Amino acid sequence: MSEIPAKATESKDPSDGARTEAADAAAAQARHADGPSGDGMWQSSPPGSIYDYIKVASFSIGPDGLVDQWSLRAEQLFGIPAEHAVGMDPIEAFIDSDLRAQGQRKMAEILDGREWTGVVPFRVPSSAAEGECGREGLAEVYVMPTRTEEGEKAAVCIVVDVRTLRSIETDLAASQAIFGQSPFGFVLIDPELRVRRVNYRFASLFGGSPDDHRGRGVHDYLPRPEAERVTATLRRVLETGDSITDMHVTGFLPGSDERRHWSINLYRVRSGSGRPIGIAWLGTDITARRAAAREAAAARRNLALLNEAGARIGNSLDLETTARELLDVVVPGFCDLATVDLYQGLLAGDETPPGLADGSAELRRVAFASAVSDAPFAGSGDPVAVGAVHHYPFNSPCADALRTARPLYVPAEEGGLVQSTLAVPMVAHDTVVGLAQFARTKGSEPFGDRDRDLAVELAARAAVCIDNARLYRREHERALILQRSLLPPGDPVASGLDIACRYLPGNSSADRPSEVGGDWFDVIELPGHRTALVVGDVMGRGLRAAVAMGELRSAVRTLALLDLEPAEVLSALDEIARGLGAPGGVQQATRAARRPREADLSEVYLATCVYAVYDSVTRRCTFANAGHLPPVLVEPGEDALMLDVPPGMPLGVGGEPFEEVEVELPEGALLALYTDGLVESRDHPLDEGLQAFVGALTDPSAPLEDVCDHVLNTLDTHHGEDDIALLMARVQGLPADSVGDWTLPREPRSVGRAREYARGQLLSWDLEPLVDTTELLVSELVTNALRYGEGDIRLRLLLDRTLVCEVWDSGLVQPRRRRARDTDEGGRGLQLVGLLSAAWGSRRTPRGKTVWFELPLPDGENGMVDPAEALLSLF
């Protein structure tokens, strides 16, 4: 037989490669079907083998050149059933007429014993196409010579449709291109979870050629815990067919200690018939992406921490609380352990910058927080308990941080829990106030430069808040000292009154510190055994309010000594209050007094005040009120009641006159003056507090100290951060036998009668040592009343803790003390009064004036001034 022409040539084209790939796949399938190497057991191929996919057909040719066997696949490929094909000449049946001669020659060569492979065109007969004109195709034929049982030459032909081979070739070429050129690591894993094939990208990372990785397992690439996790995932993918997307795997490349991170996609690989034949592994190195994500997460975390620090640190003006607020922010969000140490000198209120220059000054541990242990954390040195005072050695990192005001890393102790520590000085306004230490335990990521910068920022914010708390504490203590220095020392003493008082600064807590208020009370002794009782409250808080309170209290004392009526005192105080806190002080007050309606309330301090004057002789009390709460009176055998005293406007408003109310107080009556802190709080309205106060005054006959304690204990739930001032007085009028009172006509003989009355009264009181002095001074005052006064003259002697003599007349001209010349015959009367008496003065009355002097009672030790010597000293 002659050579088959161009259409029937020997195969030297890429189909050989396709057959090789197909053969490899078939061999792999056969090995899988047969089981492990060395197993002598034959196993049938499962459905979906490579032969099913390629659709290989076969037939045999007898010694006569005719078909003597025809497979079912051949029927499907050529469209001719076996009963027709057997006995046919394949050259005559399938090859076009113009090629049949060449085909006959080639068939002769095959039957002569030569193998042949080539592409042969064929035609399906029209009778087999059921109405079609027939179709043409190409078949790749592999002809193998053989012999029959009789020894005659025959041939076996294996036929594959070229179209199927070209499709397989295209698929394999595409697969090879993707597999070989992929920038991602690609691994094909067989059902036994062994590497079947890897691409060059994977091999370039893990070393060697792609063939070197065949047969390896996951444990050859990943640490054991990670390998076990991945192996379990591979089995699940192989069993369920569920794909895994973006699974993160951590490991190391050969020869490197750098931890790498990969994103793995896994999916099950199936044959053409759907049978699982392995797992595809597609990996991407995401180490850089993880680092960037970690940096971004760290930045977000730092911003969140800074935002939280701004919201949580500094809500209290307490040093220890502020330190704890810092640790509440950083543990566990930033570190596992943290401490704050503050200079002991700062906590003690030193004015100079605390600490020594070498950083070894005493510190107190004010806060500690831990997310892993409750044991104290030293950071450098032995553990220190909260509240303990300690210092760092000169050569320690903590002392260096304090000395240089720069953060430092503290070396970790061998075998300890902590692996990374930052010592960060707390700097506020260029002054180191303490040291914060942040630590991370083993297993956490060590501190980096970004962490150090964040720690410095957090410590600086806390340091500013701590310094503000320190300044507040200092100013608060100063204000308290000022405020308490302005209050009456001990229990005040007054004529005709039993007095008890209480002053309580406002309650304070760590989250709601209390500032000093402007509450005050005072007891002022007035001439004539009268007493001024004062309770006031400057609106506002802090040092300025305390200073304003002090100025108003001083003004009240000054005005009280002028012996003005209560309404006049409040009117003068109102003018003064309008000048407090404004530039110019008294000048501002003067301008405000001239233009009361135009006063700027933003430049003044408003205050409330109740001013009462009690006369122990008449047991009458005159009240004037400037916007204050009403006094409470408890008469013997009666319920407590609030006196109806017109409240008036607060001091500093101006423009409104103040009214006076006079009340006669029975013997044993109890009078209470107080500030609003006693009866008002955030949780209880004013009316409820007033009723509780009135209800607490149930036993006015009890000792006043006990009454005060009972009131404060009863009203404990009604007062809060405001100060409390409470002034209580029980009436004890001056007995009638301690008063001598005479009216004298306006005539010269009244001077002698006045001396006689005074002598007789003193002798009845057993005050003979005072007779001469009293006679002399009474004579001077009555003489002046006759010479300069008007109307009848009234003489009154009062005996209590001192002797008081008062001379009344209807004249309005006040006496004026002047210095007499040596040649003057008169003008020395008031000088004599001032020389012989303990005190003297003059005051207006509704119907004139009163001139008075006071003499101390003889005690056997203090001698009296001899009137004769006093007279001689004036000349």
Side-chain angles (χ1 to χ4, degrees):
M1 291 174 39
S2 61
E3 294 288 340
I4 296 180
K7 287 188 178 181
T9 60
E10 294 188 5
S11 179
K12 301 297 182 180
D13 55 25
S15 61
D16 287 337
R19 281 198 312 276
T20 302
E21 294 290 345
D24 289 342
Q29 181 65 34
R31 283 195 297 271
H32 174 69
D34 292 342
S37 177
D39 189 353
M41 181 183 294
W42 287 76
Q43 297 180 3
S44 60
S45 294
S49 68
I50 188 65
Y51 302 105
D52 293 328
Y53 184 69
I54 299 177
K55 297 180 180 180
V56 177
S58 63
F59 61 91
S60 61
I61 300 175
D64 55 1
L66 302 178
V67 175
D68 59 2
Q69 289 186 5
W70 191 258
S71 68
L72 295 177
R73 246 337 135 69
E75 292 183 4
Q76 297 173 3
L77 176 63
F78 296 106
I80 300 174
E83 58 269 20
H84 294 162
V86 175
M88 294 179 59
D89 182 348
I91 302 302
E92 294 292 336
F94 308 119
I95 299 179
D96 292 337
S97 57
D98 56 346
L99 297 177
R100 287 176 183 172
Q102 297 178 5
Q104 292 293 344
R105 290 195 297 273
K106 182 59 65 177
M107 180 60 71
E109 294 177 359
I110 291 172
L111 292 177
D112 193 35
R114 292 183 56 186
E115 293 185 1
W116 180 82
T117 301
V119 178
V120 178
F122 68 89
R123 175 175 50 81
V124 178
S126 59
S127 60
E130 299 181 356
E132 297 182 2
C133 299
R135 59 181 175 85
E136 295 181 354
L138 285 176
E140 184 165 308
V141 182
Y142 178 41
V143 181
M144 297 173 288
T146 184
R147 289 181 181 274
T148 64
E149 294 180 358
E150 292 78 12
E152 295 180 305
K153 293 182 179 180
V156 175
C157 301
I158 296 176
V159 183
V160 179
D161 191 340
V162 171
R163 292 176 300 178
T164 301
L165 289 178
R166 294 293 180 267
S167 175
I168 294 175
E169 184 181 65
T170 302
D171 292 345
L172 288 176
S175 174
Q176 181 66 23
I178 296 174
F179 193 85
Q181 301 173 16
S182 172
F184 310 113
F186 195 94
V187 182
L188 182 62
I189 300 175
D190 64 22
E192 297 178 0
L193 304 187
R194 293 291 177 178
V195 173
R196 174 61 184 166
R197 185 176 181 184
V198 302
N199 66 347
Y200 286 101
R201 173 62 177 171
F202 185 91
S204 66
L205 292 175
F206 287 91
S209 66
D211 291 338
D212 295 334
H213 294 272
R214 293 180 183 270
R216 292 183 180 180
V218 177
H219 287 78
D220 295 320
Y221 302 99
L222 299 175
R224 180 174 180 180
E226 194 77 334
E228 291 177 352
R229 182 175 69 92
V230 173
T231 299
T233 304
L234 290 173
R235 288 196 181 98
R236 187 169 63 253
V237 171
L238 189 62
E239 293 171 0
T240 65
D242 296 335
S243 301
I244 299 296
T245 304
D246 196 25
M247 174 183 176
H248 288 191
V249 177
T250 302
F252 299 89
L253 293 177
S256 173
D257 294 333
E258 180 185 3
R259 186 183 296 271
R260 308 293 293 184
H261 302 273
W262 294 279
S263 173
I264 304 300
N265 297 315
L266 303 173
Y267 60 92
R268 189 170 66 181
V269 179
R270 299 182 298 273
S271 66
S273 62
R275 180 175 53 82
I277 60 173
I279 302 170
W281 168 311
L282 183 63
T284 305
D285 192 327
I286 58 171
T287 304
R289 189 176 76 188
R290 281 283 297 269
R294 190 165 54 249
E295 289 291 323
R300 289 193 299 269
R301 181 199 63 188
N302 293 352
L303 289 175
L305 280 174
L306 291 176
N307 183 63
E308 185 180 5
R312 298 181 61 180
I313 299 176
N315 293 322
S316 169
L317 288 175
D318 180 77
L319 294 170
E320 291 80 1
T321 301
T322 303
R324 288 193 297 270
E325 289 171 346
L326 169 63
L327 301 194
D328 290 341
V329 171
V330 299
V331 178
F334 176 69
C335 60
D336 301 315
L337 298 163
T339 63
V340 173
D341 298 323
L342 298 180
Y343 277 118
Q344 178 67 6
L346 179 148
L347 295 171
D350 291 347
E351 294 295 327
T352 57
L356 300 177
D358 61 1
S360 62
E362 288 189 338
L363 299 104
R364 182 189 301 172
R365 179 141 299 172
V366 296
F368 165 76
S370 171
V372 295
S373 173
D374 294 331
F377 160 65
S380 177
D382 297 329
V384 179
V386 174
V389 176
H390 67 104
H391 70 277
Y392 292 106
F394 175 78
N395 58 350
S396 66
C398 293
D400 289 341
L402 290 170
R403 182 168 52 251
T404 61
R406 293 196 299 268
L408 293 176
Y409 293 97
V410 179
E413 297 182 1
E414 294 185 4
L417 175 67
V418 176
Q419 74 156 353
S420 181
T421 302
L422 272 174
V424 183
M426 305 179 72
V427 184
H429 311 298
D430 297 327
T431 299
V432 178
V433 299
L435 182 74
Q437 293 187 73
F438 310 103
R440 291 178 179 173
T441 56
K442 292 184 177 179
S444 301
E445 185 176 355
F447 290 114
D449 293 341
R450 184 189 297 274
D451 297 319
R452 180 197 60 198
D453 295 341
L454 176 62
V456 170
E457 177 65 22
L458 292 171
R461 293 194 179 195
V464 171
C465 296
I466 287 175
D467 194 52
N468 291 339
R470 177 183 69 86
L471 295 175
Y472 166 79
R473 176 179 289 184
R474 184 186 68 185
E475 296 303 318
H476 185 265
E477 291 175 352
R478 288 179 177 178
L480 279 177
I481 294 173
L482 172 63
Q483 186 181 44
R484 289 168 179 168
S485 68
L486 296 175
L487 297 175
D491 291 331
V493 178
S495 177
L497 294 174
D498 182 14
I499 295 178
C501 53
R502 293 288 186 274
Y503 175 80
L504 299 178
N507 292 340
S508 63
S509 61
D511 58 345
R512 192 179 65 181
S514 174
E515 290 187 292
V516 172
D519 295 15
W520 91 93
F521 66 90
D522 209 345
V523 178
I524 307 169
E525 291 190 88
L526 300 177
H529 292 307
R530 294 172 304 126
T531 304
L533 304 175
V534 188
V535 170
D537 184 2
V538 176
M539 298 181 186
R541 306 189 64 78
L543 183 61
R544 295 183 64 195
V547 171
M549 176 272 285
E551 294 186 11
L552 289 178
R553 178 181 179 273
S554 300
V556 169
R557 280 191 160 265
T558 302
L559 295 171
L561 294 178
L562 295 177
D563 217 349
L564 302 177
E565 296 297 324
E568 293 178 306
V569 171
L570 293 186
S571 296
L573 276 180
D574 178 61
E575 296 179 6
I576 294 173
R578 280 181 283 164
L580 295 180
V586 176
Q587 296 179 2
Q588 172 69 19
T590 304
R591 290 194 297 270
R594 292 174 181 172
R595 297 177 283 108
R597 292 295 184 181
E598 300 176 9
D600 185 0
L601 296 183
S602 65
E603 297 182 354
V604 301
Y605 273 99
L606 299 180
T608 63
C609 180
V610 60
Y611 184 88
V613 175
Y614 170 71
D615 190 334
S616 63
V617 178
T618 63
R619 294 200 312 273
R620 301 188 70 83
C621 189
T622 305
F623 296 91
N625 192 353
H628 204 79
L629 296 174
V632 175
L633 177 65
V634 187
E635 297 185 3
E638 302 290 339
D639 294 333
L641 57 88
M642 289 182 286
L643 294 178
D644 187 12
V645 180
M649 299 298 292
L651 301 176
V653 175
E656 296 293 335
F658 297 97
E659 300 182 38
E660 293 181 354
V661 173
E662 189 176 69
V663 179
E664 184 174 352
L665 305 178
E667 187 74 16
L670 184 63
L671 180 66
L673 305 178
Y674 53 95
T675 57
D676 57 358
L678 180 68
V679 295
E680 186 178 24
S681 72
R682 294 181 178 181
D683 302 326
H684 300 276
L686 178 60
D687 291 344
E688 182 180 337
L690 287 172
Q691 293 301 321
F693 177 44
V694 171
L697 298 173
T698 56
D699 188 9
S701 62
L704 276 185
E705 296 293 333
D706 295 342
V707 174
C708 288
D709 292 339
H710 175 70
V711 167
L712 293 178
N713 292 333
T714 303
L715 301 183
D716 181 67
T717 58
H718 291 276
H719 70 78
E721 70 231 30
D722 202 1
D723 296 351
I724 294 175
L726 174 63
L727 176 62
M728 305 193 76
R730 179 176 287 116
V731 174
Q732 297 174 347
L734 198 63
D737 57 2
S738 296
V739 179
D741 196 346
W742 305 274
T743 301
L744 303 171
R746 191 171 186 78
E747 56 186 28
R749 291 183 301 175
S750 295
V751 176
R753 291 178 182 176
R755 288 198 299 268
E756 292 176 2
Y757 292 149
R759 172 181 287 274
Q761 187 67 64
L762 292 181
L763 292 177
S764 68
W765 288 338
D766 294 328
L767 294 177
E768 184 176 357
L770 299 181
V771 170
D772 292 342
T773 302
T774 303
E775 280 188 333
L776 178 60
L777 298 183
V778 166
S779 177
E780 289 293 334
L781 294 186
V782 173
T783 299
N784 283 343
L786 288 174
R787 183 177 299 176
Y788 303 109
E790 299 177 3
D792 292 339
I793 298 172
R794 181 182 176 188
L795 172 65
R796 189 169 74 168
L797 295 179
L798 306 175
L799 177 62
D800 192 36
R801 291 178 292 109
T802 61
L803 175 66
V804 175
C805 176
E806 298 175 329
V807 175
W808 310 48
D809 69 75
S810 302
L812 298 178
V813 178
Q814 297 290 322
R816 181 173 60 88
R817 184 177 178 178
R818 63 184 179 86
R819 180 176 296 277
R821 293 173 295 183
D822 294 342
T823 57
D824 291 342
E825 296 181 0
R828 296 179 177 85
L830 293 181
Q831 293 186 43
L832 184 63
V833 173
L835 183 62
L836 295 177
S837 66
W840 77 278
S842 174
R843 69 177 183 272
R844 294 190 184 93
T845 64
R847 291 179 296 275
K849 67 177 181 297
T850 300
V851 183
W852 57 273
F853 68 84
E854 182 176 345
L855 295 176
L857 299 181
D859 57 6
E861 297 179 1
N862 297 326
M864 300 295 297
V865 177
D866 184 8
E869 294 181 359
L871 285 172
L872 291 175
S873 68
L874 297 177
F875 294 93

